[in-house]
Amino acid sequence: MNANAGALPEINVEEFQKVVRSRRSVRRFLSEPVPPQVLADCLELATLAPNSSNLQPWEFYVVQTPELKARLAEACLGQNAARTAPVLIAIVARTDTWRRHARLALEHWPEATLPPIVDKYYRKIAPIHYNQGPFGVLGAAKKAAGLVLGLARPVPRGPYSPAEMNVWATKSTALAAQNLMLALRAHGYDSCPMEGFDEYRVKKLLGIPRRGLVTMVVAAGRRAENGVYNQQYRFDQDQLVHYL
């Protein structure tokens, strides 16, 4: 259930820190299944991730059937995480759903009155902003216009091509993936995001549309005692965080 937008719950920052700090990429899992209600809650929390224009350019393919999971693990290069996890979730970025989702954004508007600016955005602005046109012609024209207009004032720079649309969709989808992994940890389960896979085989195996981008395959379950291989470490923040 969605809370009132103006009602903020009290947050225990120590509990959140425990979730974030105890999340690790687990390479071996117990065979214990993830309860359906836990999985459903984690997937719902994943879809609450921030995303561009609320166009939600993601899909989740949840694989639990033993035979299909074994074949998917093989497509994930036989990694231990893929072979031992009771659940594998292919997280897919979609660059081709924005038109339908723009319509859905209007249909699902949660208030009785639709603000004119919202109606204008999804009906008029989004169809221009995200449309690259045949052979990318419209995208090239928008890029040229942006270069000229950008000489005088700040303008949105892209996405101007199918490749930039891939980046656009993947950024939002990665945020959803992080929500999913943190939700699993909060429920006492673990995960491993895997980039090592044969995308062609994964897409064919799961029936993922041609323009879907498999951002990652997440293994999920209860961590085994030998599931974490090494001690966690990070680089010096002075090299990575810049206060201006």
Side-chain angles (χ1 to χ4, degrees):
M1 179 180 297
N2 292 329
N4 186 303
L8 294 176
E10 291 189 11
I11 302 295
N12 186 325
V13 68
E14 288 81 9
E15 290 301 312
F16 178 70
Q17 289 173 340
K18 283 163 57 177
V19 169
V20 173
R21 295 184 186 280
S22 65
R23 187 219 58 81
R24 297 296 307 276
S25 292
V26 172
R27 309 294 178 172
R28 294 181 185 273
F29 295 88
L30 301 177
S31 59
E32 172 188 335
V34 180
Q37 65 272 22
V38 170
L39 194 55
D41 185 62
C42 292
L43 288 164
E44 180 191 3
L45 291 172
T47 64
L48 294 180
N51 61 96
S52 181
S53 296
N54 199 28
L55 290 174
Q56 304 170 49
W58 50 52
E59 289 182 351
F60 303 84
Y61 290 75
V62 183
V63 180
Q64 302 178 89
T65 308
E67 181 181 354
L68 182 59
K69 187 162 62 68
R71 295 173 64 191
L72 180 55
E74 182 180 358
C76 291
L77 313 181
Q79 297 182 60
N80 286 332
R83 290 192 303 102
T84 61
V87 182
L88 296 176
I89 305 171
I91 302 180
V92 178
R94 296 293 300 269
T95 63
D96 56 341
T97 58
W98 63 265
R99 288 182 180 85
R100 176 165 59 89
H101 287 191
R103 293 192 296 269
L104 289 175
L106 295 173
E107 294 174 11
H108 289 260
W109 186 255
E111 299 170 7
T113 302
L114 180 67
I117 191 171
V118 174
D119 185 74
K120 179 180 179 181
Y121 180 80
Y122 287 113
R123 293 188 193 280
K124 297 182 178 180
I125 298 177
I128 296 174
H129 187 64
Y130 296 107
N131 188 3
Q132 306 308 315
F135 306 106
V137 172
L138 180 56
K142 290 188 296 182
K143 184 174 184 178
L147 289 172
V148 174
L149 294 174
L151 294 174
R153 59 183 175 84
V155 295
R157 309 272 181 163
Y160 292 140
S161 68
E164 291 183 13
M165 285 294 290
N166 289 349
V167 175
W168 167 81
T170 299
K171 286 191 290 185
S172 290
T173 302
L175 292 174
Q178 180 71 353
N179 264 27
L180 173 65
M181 291 183 284
L182 292 177
L184 284 163
R185 182 81 286 274
H187 275 285
Y189 292 86
D190 286 286
S191 61
C192 182
M194 295 177 288
E195 290 185 291
F197 53 80
D198 184 326
E199 185 172 19
Y200 172 80
R201 283 180 165 79
V202 171
K203 292 175 70 171
K204 184 177 181 180
L205 186 62
L206 303 183
I208 295 171
R210 180 179 60 85
R211 293 179 65 183
L213 304 167
V214 185
T215 302
M216 65 188 77
V217 177
V218 172
R222 189 84 72 180
R223 76 171 69 176
E225 288 187 9
N226 60 346
V228 177
Y229 286 175
N230 303 296
Q231 185 175 345
Q232 188 180 61
Y233 67 97
R234 289 294 185 267
F235 304 134
D236 191 336
Q237 287 205 4
D238 290 342
Q239 301 177 35
L240 307 174
V241 180
H242 308 280
Y243 294 95
L244 305 176

Coordinates of all heavy atoms in Angstrom, one line a residue, residues 180-238:
L180 N 16.0 -4.2 -5.5 CA 15.7 -5.6 -5.4 C 16.7 -6.3 -4.5 O 16.3 -7.0 -3.5 CB 15.7 -6.3 -6.8 CG 15.6 -7.8 -6.8 CD1 14.2 -8.2 -6.2 CD2 15.8 -8.4 -8.2
M181 N 18.0 -6.0 -4.7 CA 19.0 -6.7 -3.9 C 19.0 -6.2 -2.4 O 19.2 -7.0 -1.5 CB 20.4 -6.5 -4.5 CG 20.5 -7.2 -5.8 SD 22.2 -7.0 -6.6 CE 22.1 -5.4 -7.2
L182 N 18.7 -4.9 -2.2 CA 18.6 -4.4 -0.8 C 17.4 -5.0 -0.1 O 17.4 -5.3 1.1 CB 18.6 -2.9 -0.8 CG 19.9 -2.2 -1.2 CD1 19.7 -0.7 -1.2 CD2 21.0 -2.6 -0.3
A183 N 16.3 -5.1 -0.9 CA 15.1 -5.7 -0.3 C 15.3 -7.2 0.1 O 14.8 -7.6 1.2 CB 13.9 -5.6 -1.3
L184 N 16.0 -7.9 -0.7 CA 16.3 -9.3 -0.4 C 17.1 -9.4 0.9 O 16.8 -10.2 1.8 CB 17.1 -10.0 -1.5 CG 16.2 -10.4 -2.7 CD1 17.1 -10.6 -3.9 CD2 15.4 -11.6 -2.4
R185 N 18.1 -8.5 1.0 CA 18.9 -8.5 2.2 C 18.1 -8.1 3.5 O 18.3 -8.7 4.5 CB 20.1 -7.5 2.0 CG 21.0 -7.4 3.2 CD 22.1 -8.5 3.2 NE 21.6 -9.8 3.5 CZ 21.5 -10.3 4.8 NH1 21.8 -9.5 5.8 NH2 21.0 -11.5 5.0
A186 N 17.2 -7.1 3.3 CA 16.3 -6.7 4.4 C 15.4 -7.9 4.9 O 15.1 -8.0 6.1 CB 15.5 -5.5 4.0
H187 N 15.1 -8.8 4.0 CA 14.3 -10.0 4.3 C 15.1 -11.1 4.9 O 14.6 -12.2 5.2 CB 13.5 -10.4 3.1 CG 12.2 -9.7 2.9 ND1 11.1 -10.0 3.7 CD2 11.8 -8.8 2.0 CE1 10.1 -9.2 3.3 NE2 10.5 -8.5 2.3
G188 N 16.5 -10.9 4.9 CA 17.4 -12.0 5.4 C 17.9 -12.9 4.3 O 18.5 -13.9 4.6
Y189 N 17.7 -12.5 3.0 CA 18.2 -13.3 1.9 C 19.3 -12.5 1.2 O 19.6 -11.4 1.5 CB 17.0 -13.6 0.9 CG 16.0 -14.6 1.6 CD1 15.0 -14.1 2.4 CD2 16.2 -16.0 1.4 CE1 14.1 -15.0 3.0 CE2 15.3 -16.8 2.0 CZ 14.2 -16.3 2.8 OH 13.4 -17.2 3.4
D190 N 19.9 -13.2 0.3 CA 21.1 -12.5 -0.4 C 21.0 -12.7 -1.9 O 20.1 -13.3 -2.4 CB 22.4 -13.2 0.1 CG 22.7 -12.7 1.5 OD1 23.1 -11.6 1.7 OD2 22.5 -13.5 2.5
S191 N 22.0 -12.1 -2.6 CA 21.9 -12.0 -4.0 C 23.3 -11.9 -4.6 O 24.3 -11.7 -3.9 CB 21.1 -10.8 -4.4 OG 21.7 -9.6 -4.0
C192 N 23.4 -12.1 -5.9 CA 24.6 -11.9 -6.6 C 24.2 -11.4 -8.0 O 23.6 -12.1 -8.8 CB 25.4 -13.2 -6.8 SG 27.0 -13.0 -7.6
P193 N 24.5 -10.1 -8.3 CA 24.3 -9.6 -9.7 C 25.4 -10.1 -10.6 O 26.5 -9.9 -10.4 CB 24.4 -8.1 -9.5 CG 25.3 -7.9 -8.3 CD 25.2 -9.1 -7.5
M194 N 24.9 -10.7 -11.7 CA 25.9 -11.3 -12.6 C 25.8 -10.6 -14.0 O 24.7 -10.5 -14.6 CB 25.6 -12.8 -12.8 CG 25.8 -13.6 -11.5 SD 25.3 -15.4 -11.7 CE 23.5 -15.3 -11.8
E195 N 27.0 -10.2 -14.5 CA 27.1 -9.7 -15.8 C 27.7 -10.7 -16.8 O 27.7 -10.6 -18.0 CB 28.0 -8.5 -15.8 CG 27.4 -7.2 -15.2 CD 28.2 -6.0 -15.3 OE1 29.3 -6.0 -14.7 OE2 27.9 -5.1 -16.1
G196 N 28.3 -11.8 -16.2 CA 28.9 -12.8 -17.0 C 27.8 -13.8 -17.5 O 27.5 -14.8 -16.8
F197 N 27.3 -13.6 -18.7 CA 26.3 -14.5 -19.3 C 26.3 -14.3 -20.8 O 26.8 -13.3 -21.3 CB 24.9 -14.3 -18.7 CG 24.4 -12.8 -18.8 CD1 23.9 -12.3 -19.9 CD2 24.5 -12.0 -17.7 CE1 23.5 -11.0 -20.0 CE2 24.1 -10.7 -17.7 CZ 23.6 -10.2 -18.8
D198 N 25.8 -15.3 -21.5 CA 25.6 -15.2 -22.9 C 24.2 -14.6 -23.2 O 23.2 -15.3 -23.1 CB 25.7 -16.6 -23.5 CG 25.6 -16.7 -25.1 OD1 24.9 -15.8 -25.6 OD2 26.3 -17.5 -25.7
E199 N 24.2 -13.3 -23.5 CA 22.9 -12.6 -23.6 C 22.1 -13.2 -24.7 O 20.8 -13.3 -24.6 CB 23.2 -11.1 -23.9 CG 21.8 -10.4 -23.9 CD 22.0 -8.9 -24.0 OE1 23.1 -8.4 -24.4 OE2 21.1 -8.1 -23.7
Y200 N 22.6 -13.6 -25.8 CA 21.8 -14.3 -26.9 C 21.1 -15.5 -26.4 O 19.9 -15.6 -26.6 CB 22.7 -14.6 -28.1 CG 22.0 -15.4 -29.1 CD1 21.2 -14.8 -30.1 CD2 22.1 -16.8 -29.2 CE1 20.5 -15.5 -31.0 CE2 21.5 -17.6 -30.1 CZ 20.7 -16.9 -31.1 OH 20.0 -17.7 -32.0
R201 N 21.8 -16.3 -25.6 CA 21.2 -17.5 -25.1 C 20.2 -17.2 -24.0 O 19.1 -17.9 -23.9 CB 22.3 -18.5 -24.6 CG 23.0 -19.2 -25.7 CD 24.0 -20.2 -25.1 NE 24.5 -21.1 -26.1 CZ 25.4 -20.9 -27.1 NH1 25.9 -19.7 -27.2 NH2 25.7 -21.8 -28.0
V202 N 20.5 -16.2 -23.2 CA 19.5 -15.9 -22.1 C 18.2 -15.4 -22.7 O 17.1 -15.7 -22.3 CB 20.1 -14.8 -21.2 CG1 19.1 -14.3 -20.2 CG2 21.3 -15.4 -20.4
K203 N 18.3 -14.5 -23.7 CA 17.1 -13.9 -24.4 C 16.3 -15.0 -25.1 O 15.1 -15.0 -25.0 CB 17.5 -12.8 -25.3 CG 18.1 -11.6 -24.6 CD 18.6 -10.6 -25.6 CE 17.5 -9.9 -26.4 NZ 18.0 -8.7 -27.2
K204 N 17.0 -15.9 -25.7 CA 16.3 -17.0 -26.4 C 15.6 -17.9 -25.5 O 14.5 -18.3 -25.7 CB 17.3 -17.7 -27.3 CG 16.6 -18.8 -28.2 CD 17.6 -19.5 -29.1 CE 17.0 -20.6 -29.9 NZ 18.0 -21.2 -30.8
L205 N 16.3 -18.2 -24.4 CA 15.8 -19.2 -23.4 C 14.5 -18.6 -22.7 O 13.6 -19.4 -22.4 CB 16.9 -19.5 -22.4 CG 16.6 -20.5 -21.3 CD1 16.4 -21.9 -22.0 CD2 17.8 -20.6 -20.3
L206 N 14.5 -17.3 -22.4 CA 13.4 -16.7 -21.6 C 12.4 -16.0 -22.5 O 11.4 -15.5 -22.0 CB 14.0 -15.8 -20.6 CG 15.0 -16.3 -19.6 CD1 15.5 -15.3 -18.6 CD2 14.5 -17.6 -18.9
G207 N 12.6 -16.0 -23.8 CA 11.7 -15.4 -24.7 C 11.7 -13.9 -24.5 O 10.6 -13.2 -24.7
I208 N 12.8 -13.3 -24.3 CA 12.9 -11.8 -24.1 C 12.9 -11.2 -25.5 O 13.6 -11.6 -26.4 CB 14.3 -11.5 -23.3 CG1 14.2 -12.1 -21.9 CG2 14.5 -10.0 -23.3 CD1 15.5 -12.0 -21.2
P209 N 12.1 -10.1 -25.6 CA 12.0 -9.4 -26.9 C 13.4 -9.0 -27.5 O 14.3 -8.7 -26.7 CB 11.1 -8.2 -26.6 CG 10.3 -8.6 -25.5 CD 11.2 -9.5 -24.6
R210 N 13.5 -8.9 -28.8 CA 14.7 -8.6 -29.4 C 15.4 -7.3 -28.9 O 16.6 -7.2 -28.7 CB 14.5 -8.4 -30.9 CG 15.8 -8.1 -31.7 CD 15.4 -8.0 -33.2 NE 14.5 -7.0 -33.5 CZ 14.8 -5.7 -33.7 NH1 16.0 -5.3 -33.6 NH2 13.8 -4.8 -33.9
R211 N 14.6 -6.3 -28.6 CA 15.1 -5.0 -28.2 C 15.2 -4.9 -26.7 O 15.6 -3.8 -26.1 CB 14.2 -3.8 -28.7 CG 14.3 -3.7 -30.2 CD 13.4 -2.6 -30.7 NE 13.8 -1.3 -30.3 CZ 13.2 -0.2 -30.5 NH1 12.1 -0.2 -31.3 NH2 13.6 1.0 -30.1
G212 N 15.0 -6.0 -26.0 CA 15.2 -6.0 -24.5 C 16.7 -6.2 -24.3 O 17.4 -6.9 -24.9
L213 N 17.2 -5.5 -23.3 CA 18.6 -5.5 -22.9 C 18.7 -6.2 -21.5 O 18.2 -5.7 -20.5 CB 19.2 -4.1 -22.8 CG 19.1 -3.3 -24.1 CD1 19.5 -1.8 -23.7 CD2 20.0 -3.8 -25.2
V214 N 19.4 -7.3 -21.5 CA 19.6 -8.0 -20.2 C 20.6 -7.3 -19.4 O 21.8 -7.4 -19.7 CB 20.0 -9.5 -20.4 CG1 20.0 -10.2 -19.0 CG2 19.0 -10.2 -21.3
T215 N 20.2 -6.5 -18.5 CA 21.1 -5.6 -17.7 C 22.0 -6.5 -16.8 O 23.2 -6.3 -16.6 CB 20.3 -4.6 -16.9 OG1 19.5 -3.8 -17.8 CG2 21.3 -3.7 -16.1
M216 N 21.3 -7.5 -16.1 CA 22.0 -8.4 -15.3 C 21.1 -9.6 -15.0 O 19.9 -9.5 -15.1 CB 22.5 -7.7 -14.0 CG 21.4 -7.2 -13.1 SD 22.0 -6.3 -11.7 CE 22.4 -4.7 -12.5
V217 N 21.7 -10.7 -14.5 CA 20.9 -11.8 -14.0 C 21.3 -11.8 -12.5 O 22.4 -11.9 -12.1 CB 21.3 -13.1 -14.6 CG1 20.5 -14.3 -14.0 CG2 21.0 -13.0 -16.1
V218 N 20.2 -11.7 -11.6 CA 20.5 -11.7 -10.2 C 20.1 -13.1 -9.6 O 19.0 -13.6 -9.8 CB 19.6 -10.6 -9.5 CG1 19.7 -10.8 -8.0 CG2 20.0 -9.3 -10.0
A219 N 21.1 -13.7 -9.0 CA 20.9 -14.9 -8.2 C 20.4 -14.5 -6.8 O 20.9 -13.6 -6.2 CB 22.2 -15.7 -8.1
A220 N 19.4 -15.3 -6.3 CA 18.8 -14.9 -5.0 C 18.6 -16.2 -4.2 O 18.2 -17.2 -4.7 CB 17.5 -14.1 -5.2
G221 N 18.8 -16.0 -2.9 CA 18.5 -17.1 -2.0 C 19.2 -16.9 -0.6 O 19.6 -15.7 -0.3
R222 N 19.2 -17.9 0.2 CA 19.9 -17.8 1.5 C 21.4 -18.2 1.3 O 21.7 -19.2 0.8 CB 19.2 -18.8 2.5 CG 19.6 -18.6 3.9 CD 18.9 -17.6 4.6 NE 17.5 -18.0 4.9 CZ 16.6 -17.2 5.5 NH1 17.0 -16.0 5.9 NH2 15.4 -17.6 5.8
R223 N 22.2 -17.3 1.8 CA 23.7 -17.6 1.6 C 24.2 -18.8 2.4 O 23.8 -19.1 3.5 CB 24.5 -16.3 2.0 CG 24.7 -16.1 3.5 CD 25.7 -15.0 3.8 NE 25.2 -13.7 3.4 CZ 25.9 -12.5 3.6 NH1 27.1 -12.6 4.2 NH2 25.4 -11.4 3.2
A224 N 25.1 -19.5 1.7 CA 25.7 -20.6 2.3 C 26.9 -20.1 3.2 O 27.3 -19.0 3.0 CB 26.2 -21.6 1.3
E225 N 27.4 -20.9 4.1 CA 28.5 -20.5 4.9 C 29.8 -20.1 4.1 O 30.5 -19.2 4.5 CB 28.9 -21.6 5.9 CG 27.9 -21.8 7.0 CD 28.3 -22.8 8.1 OE1 29.5 -23.2 8.0 OE2 27.5 -23.2 8.9
N226 N 30.0 -20.8 3.0 CA 31.1 -20.4 2.1 C 30.7 -19.6 0.9 O 31.3 -19.5 -0.1 CB 31.8 -21.7 1.6 CG 30.8 -22.6 0.8 OD1 29.6 -22.4 0.8 ND2 31.4 -23.5 0.1
G227 N 29.5 -18.8 1.1 CA 29.0 -18.1 0.0 C 29.7 -16.8 -0.3 O 29.7 -16.3 -1.5
V228 N 30.4 -16.2 0.6 CA 31.2 -15.0 0.4 C 32.6 -15.3 0.3 O 33.2 -15.9 1.3 CB 30.9 -13.9 1.5 CG1 31.8 -12.7 1.3 CG2 29.4 -13.6 1.6
Y229 N 33.2 -15.0 -0.8 CA 34.6 -15.5 -1.1 C 35.7 -14.7 -0.4 O 36.7 -15.2 0.1 CB 34.9 -15.5 -2.6 CG 34.2 -16.6 -3.3 CD1 34.3 -16.7 -4.7 CD2 33.5 -17.6 -2.6 CE1 33.7 -17.7 -5.4 CE2 32.8 -18.6 -3.3 CZ 32.9 -18.7 -4.7 OH 32.3 -19.7 -5.4
N230 N 35.5 -13.3 -0.3 CA 36.6 -12.5 0.2 C 36.1 -11.4 1.0 O 34.9 -11.1 1.0 CB 37.4 -11.8 -1.0 CG 37.9 -12.9 -2.0 OD1 38.8 -13.7 -1.6 ND2 37.4 -12.9 -3.2
Q231 N 37.0 -10.8 1.8 CA 36.6 -9.6 2.6 C 36.3 -8.4 1.7 O 37.0 -8.2 0.8 CB 37.7 -9.3 3.6 CG 37.4 -8.2 4.6 CD 38.5 -8.0 5.6 OE1 39.4 -8.9 5.8 NE2 38.5 -6.9 6.3
Q232 N 35.3 -7.7 2.1 CA 34.9 -6.5 1.3 C 35.9 -5.4 1.5 O 36.3 -5.1 2.7 CB 33.5 -6.1 1.6 CG 32.9 -5.0 0.7 CD 31.5 -4.6 1.1 OE1 31.3 -4.1 2.2 NE2 30.6 -4.8 0.2
Y233 N 36.2 -4.6 0.5 CA 37.0 -3.4 0.7 C 36.6 -2.4 -0.4 O 36.1 -2.8 -1.5 CB 38.5 -3.7 0.6 CG 39.0 -4.2 -0.7 CD1 39.6 -3.3 -1.6 CD2 38.9 -5.5 -1.1 CE1 40.1 -3.7 -2.8 CE2 39.4 -6.0 -2.3 CZ 40.0 -5.1 -3.2 OH 40.4 -5.5 -4.4
R234 N 36.9 -1.2 -0.2 CA 36.6 -0.1 -1.2 C 37.8 0.8 -1.2 O 38.6 0.9 -0.3 CB 35.3 0.7 -0.8 CG 34.0 -0.1 -1.0 CD 33.8 -0.4 -2.4 NE 32.5 -1.1 -2.7 CZ 32.3 -2.4 -2.7 NH1 33.4 -3.2 -2.5 NH2 31.1 -2.9 -3.0
F235 N 37.9 1.6 -2.3 CA 39.0 2.5 -2.5 C 38.8 3.7 -1.6 O 37.7 4.0 -1.1 CB 39.2 2.9 -4.0 CG 39.3 1.8 -4.9 CD1 38.6 1.7 -6.1 CD2 40.2 0.8 -4.6 CE1 38.7 0.7 -7.0 CE2 40.4 -0.3 -5.5 CZ 39.6 -0.3 -6.7
D236 N 39.9 4.5 -1.4 CA 39.9 5.7 -0.6 C 38.8 6.6 -1.1 O 38.9 7.0 -2.3 CB 41.3 6.3 -0.6 CG 41.4 7.4 0.5 OD1 40.3 8.0 0.9 OD2 42.5 7.7 0.9
Q237 N 37.9 7.1 -0.3 CA 36.9 8.0 -0.8 C 37.4 9.3 -1.2 O 36.8 10.0 -2.0 CB 35.8 8.2 0.3 CG 34.9 7.0 0.6 CD 33.6 7.4 1.2 OE1 33.3 8.6 1.3 NE2 32.8 6.4 1.5
D238 N 38.6 9.7 -0.8 CA 39.2 11.0 -1.2 C 39.4 11.0 -2.8 O 39.5 12.0 -3.4 CB 40.5 11.2 -0.5 CG 40.3 11.6 0.9 OD1 39.2 11.9 1.3 OD2 41.3 11.5 1.7

